[in-house]
Amino acid sequence: MNLIEDRLYEEKERLNRLTAPEDMEARLRIALSTAAPGKTADRKLTGAWKLAAAAVLAVMLVGGNQYHALAYYGKTLLGFDGVVNGTLDKLNQQGWGQALGEQIQLADGTMLTVDGIMSDENQLIVYYTLSHPSGLANGDTSLITPIGIKGYRTDSHMQSGSSRPSQDRTEIKGIFTFDPVSPFAKKLTLSYWDESGPGSERHQAHLMFSYHPDEAMPTQIKQSIRQTLTTDDGSIRFGSITATPTMTLIEGTLQEGNPNLLDQVINGVELVANGDQVKRFRSDAQRSPNGYTFTLRYESLPEKLDSMQLVLKEHGGKVEIPMK
């Protein structure tokens, strides 16, 4: 059972232990004492008691630990329609963002706003705005260069980014993606190079913001694959799959061998779900003592999943991913 499931179970147990104040029923009976006696009055009392108990429970929920969970949905991060599409746009419309609104001023007076974040086991996505009433220098994101995000048990490196300027060039909306953060972190610090100063001058700056790990999106699939695909150029070992609402991550290893094999893996492994190809948007490889380790990133999987395969396009080989 993962962390999210543990917390949901604990919260369920807490709710099961909730009781209304001992004198609540007595007070309701006094308030209803003017009602005519008989079965009709008893039914009214029972209905009123249930309604009052439900109201008390709702107040306790809002005032208790469930506040973030209740307020979580509906936090659509506005103004990012032209920056994200597909999976991320859908998640944003569903209200999966953690709204922040933290601000800091750059050296040239440009305002950097961290509008919000999205988080799951595969990545952390930072939604930001750069704005200046007199117009932004160069009209692009060269004003800042992210370094990473740190926090409790967290040292996340930047992975990618995209942005879009407004028509009058006074504002830029964008996202930065980082390695996933610890589920125990409550505060995160974004470090970046402020390059808005004159000439080539730049300095390192930091922006701290709150993080609610209980609002991270749950993992859909996390399992081993442990299957090897053998080709004339060498062997490919597919190790694991981690599927979350923002992406699907495939990790594996590659023997030291024909350089052509590395290119086949990085550019030619297709993920097929329910018979349809899942869009791949990034691949990475690093040298290891015995060859390479690789990471393949795809869009999220269908909600109703019946089958999954990995297909090496050039070779034609196929690996069936077991459905657990």
Side-chain angles (χ1 to χ4, degrees):
M1 185 177 292
N2 62 33
L3 179 63
I4 299 297
E5 293 172 332
D6 286 341
R7 290 185 176 177
L8 289 174
Y9 180 80
E10 291 172 2
E11 190 60 30
K12 178 182 176 183
E13 292 297 305
R14 187 183 71 82
L15 293 178
N16 287 339
R17 293 193 297 269
L18 285 177
T19 58
E22 293 182 0
D23 63 342
M24 175 64 76
E25 184 172 2
R27 283 183 288 173
L28 284 172
R29 289 184 182 279
I30 293 172
L32 296 172
S33 61
T34 56
K39 293 184 178 179
T40 301
D42 290 339
R43 283 197 297 269
K44 287 182 179 179
L45 177 59
T46 302
W49 165 246
K50 290 181 178 179
L51 182 60
V56 170
L57 179 59
V59 171
M60 289 179 174
L61 281 173
V62 174
N65 293 334
Q66 277 294 316
Y67 174 78
H68 288 308
L70 290 175
Y72 183 34
Y73 297 97
K75 288 184 180 177
T76 303
L77 302 174
L78 302 176
F80 291 89
D81 298 349
V83 181
V84 296
N85 52 43
T87 297
L88 293 185
D89 184 50
K90 179 180 178 181
L91 292 172
N92 188 31
Q93 295 303 320
Q94 292 174 346
W96 282 102
Q98 299 185 35
L100 295 173
E102 297 288 345
Q103 294 185 318
I104 190 171
Q105 196 170 54
L106 304 186
D108 71 343
T110 296
M111 187 64 70
L112 167 62
T113 303
V114 174
D115 299 274
I117 57 175
M118 285 186 189
S119 177
D120 61 26
E121 191 174 350
N122 277 335
Q123 63 180 333
L124 175 78
I125 305 168
V126 174
Y127 288 72
Y128 71 91
T129 301
L130 289 169
S131 58
H132 197 299
S134 300
L136 293 163
N138 303 323
D140 57 27
T141 55
S142 62
L143 296 174
I144 61 170
T145 301
I147 299 171
I149 288 181
K150 292 190 176 183
Y152 182 69
R153 296 187 180 180
T154 296
D155 187 3
S156 300
H157 300 286
M158 179 187 167
Q159 294 294 333
S160 63
S162 62
S163 63
R164 183 174 182 176
S166 61
Q167 289 187 347
D168 60 4
R169 300 285 173 169
T170 61
E171 184 179 87
I172 291 173
K173 293 281 188 180
I175 63 168
F176 293 124
T177 66
F178 296 85
D179 295 331
V181 301
S182 169
F184 300 102
K186 297 296 181 68
K187 293 284 187 180
L188 297 174
T189 299
L190 168 66
S191 298
Y192 61 93
W193 290 110
D194 180 347
E195 306 193 45
S196 67
S200 58
E201 182 182 347
R202 70 174 186 172
H203 70 274
Q204 188 172 336
H206 311 277
L207 176 61
M208 180 182 288
F209 53 87
S210 298
Y211 174 61
H212 300 296
D214 56 322
E215 295 181 4
M217 290 173 278
T219 299
Q220 299 162 313
I221 297 173
K222 185 180 178 68
Q223 66 184 56
S224 299
I225 300 176
R226 295 179 183 173
Q227 295 192 52
T228 301
L229 189 60
T230 303
T231 73
D232 294 338
D233 295 319
S235 298
I236 307 165
R237 177 73 170 175
F238 294 102
S240 65
I241 177 173
T242 304
T244 62
T246 65
M247 75 157 73
T248 304
L249 197 70
I250 304 290
E251 296 180 298
T253 57
L254 189 65
Q255 288 182 341
E256 184 75 58
N258 192 323
N260 182 52
L261 185 60
L262 178 60
D263 182 68
Q264 290 183 54
V265 172
I266 294 301
N267 299 306
V269 174
E270 298 175 347
L271 174 61
V272 179
N274 296 346
D276 296 322
Q277 186 175 334
V278 181
K279 181 180 178 181
R280 178 174 54 86
F281 57 84
R282 186 178 166 192
S283 302
D284 300 298
Q286 291 183 328
R287 278 195 170 275
S288 67
N290 299 316
Y292 294 92
T293 60
F294 62 83
T295 302
L296 311 177
R297 294 173 171 84
Y298 302 85
E299 286 277 5
S300 60
L301 296 173
E303 292 183 8
K304 187 179 186 315
L305 190 61
D306 299 317
S307 64
M308 283 188 294
Q309 300 89 30
L310 290 168
V311 180
L312 187 60
K313 185 167 56 176
E314 185 173 322
H315 178 267
K318 183 184 296 185
V319 167
E320 294 286 338
I321 300 177
M323 303 294 296
K324 295 184 180 179

